Amino acid sequence: DWNDIVLSPVKQIKAYVDAIYNNIVRYRDESDLKTFEKLVDLCQQYGLHNEKAIMFRNIAKYNYYRDDNKKAIEVYMEAIQATDARYVDALVILNTELAEHYHIERNVIEVEKHLEVAAKLISEHYVSNAALYKYYFRRGIILRRDGKSPEARHHFEKAERYAEVNNESISEKGAVYLAIGATYKREENYEQAKSYYFKALFYFHENDIYGRSAV
């Protein structure tokens, strides 16, 4: 609409990259990849290096959602190598998510390596809430999959402090409460699990059919 049109080209690109990042599960068609590649070129043209790194991340996720986890890992590695050390937020997100994709492949050494890189960046630099949420939430997911429910909850509770996004594709707080509920379910503490599932329902967007159905 008019509010989008009047933005400068740089602000339009940033807004589009951010929208794709927050709704990546909706981009699975072959035509979407062409859009992503065009945005990478535009980010390069306008010197938007942080956004370029995030677009590489979106391409990696695109491959994952098309059932090619190994290709996703390959693109994540390319993204990390191409990202300047100044763009700490992007590096935290890329390393954290790459660790999770290595976890799918059961490559424990690479999982720990990339989580350690992300943790070191967080300890040494100012990091945005978006990157902090990503780190604590995804690390919690890895721990939960490994059956370490108390440790997973500890990370989910940290993630909740930084949860901000709430749209038709993802509610960060809703996802946190759903994940905490799942840890209690795994421990057969069904009353606690149920209380967190009920809490999650209040945070998922009314049009987020997948999220609300999962709850």
Side-chain angles (χ1 to χ4, degrees):
D1 63 14
W2 176 252
N3 291 325
D4 297 314
I5 294 170
V6 298
L7 292 176
S8 68
V10 167
K11 288 185 178 178
Q12 287 187 45
I13 294 166
K14 286 184 174 182
Y16 198 7
V17 170
D18 189 56
I20 295 169
Y21 173 78
N22 288 320
N23 297 276
I24 188 61
V25 296
R26 307 172 86 179
Y27 294 86
R28 305 191 185 193
D29 296 334
E30 289 185 14
S31 59
D32 292 328
L33 182 58
K34 294 180 181 178
T35 301
F36 290 2
E37 290 170 346
K38 176 64 175 177
L39 272 167
V40 169
D41 292 340
L42 286 169
C43 289
Q44 179 67 30
Q45 179 183 335
Y46 284 93
L48 301 175
H49 303 295
N50 194 63
E51 285 72 20
K52 181 181 175 182
I54 295 302
M55 281 311 306
F56 275 122
R57 173 266 182 190
N58 291 336
I59 292 172
K61 283 294 185 190
Y62 167 88
N63 282 285
Y64 171 69
Y65 289 128
R66 289 176 66 87
D67 298 320
D68 193 345
N69 190 54
K70 287 183 169 60
K71 179 64 176 178
I73 288 173
E74 181 183 317
V75 177
Y76 269 113
M77 290 299 298
E78 291 175 5
I80 289 171
Q81 291 166 5
T83 303
D84 191 288
R86 292 173 294 170
Y87 303 108
V88 178
D89 283 358
L91 287 171
V92 169
I93 291 168
L94 291 170
N95 277 283
T96 300
E97 292 189 342
L98 177 55
E100 187 175 13
H101 286 278
Y102 271 122
H103 190 262
I104 293 169
E105 300 295 325
R106 300 300 183 201
N107 190 331
V108 177
I109 293 173
E110 290 295 327
V111 171
E112 290 303 318
K113 183 177 93 173
H114 289 285
L115 287 177
E116 285 175 11
V117 170
K120 190 170 187 291
L121 289 167
I122 290 170
S123 69
E124 295 178 351
H125 301 274
Y126 169 80
V127 179
S128 71
N129 284 357
L132 288 169
Y133 173 85
K134 181 69 67 175
Y135 171 76
Y136 288 114
F137 183 76
R138 301 322 304 184
R139 188 153 199 176
I141 292 293
I142 290 170
L143 288 164
R144 190 188 70 187
R145 287 174 180 164
D146 288 340
K148 299 175 181 178
S149 293
E151 295 97 322
R153 275 197 297 276
H154 174 70
H155 283 79
F156 291 142
E157 287 162 1
K158 284 191 173 184
E160 192 269 342
R161 302 176 200 169
Y162 306 108
E164 294 176 346
V165 176
N166 184 22
N167 58 41
E168 295 181 11
S169 295
I170 181 65
S171 164
E172 290 182 341
K173 282 200 175 183
V176 165
Y177 297 138
L178 177 59
I180 292 174
T183 65
Y184 281 118
K185 178 186 175 185
R186 186 163 193 157
E187 295 174 338
E188 300 185 2
N189 187 341
Y190 299 119
E191 287 304 313
Q192 277 285 64
K194 196 162 57 175
S195 70
Y196 274 96
Y197 290 152
F198 275 122
K199 194 173 184 179
L201 277 178
F202 288 99
Y203 286 91
F204 276 98
H205 193 284
E206 60 181 4
N207 294 327
D208 184 354
I209 296 172
Y210 174 79
R212 294 177 67 82
S213 297
V215 177

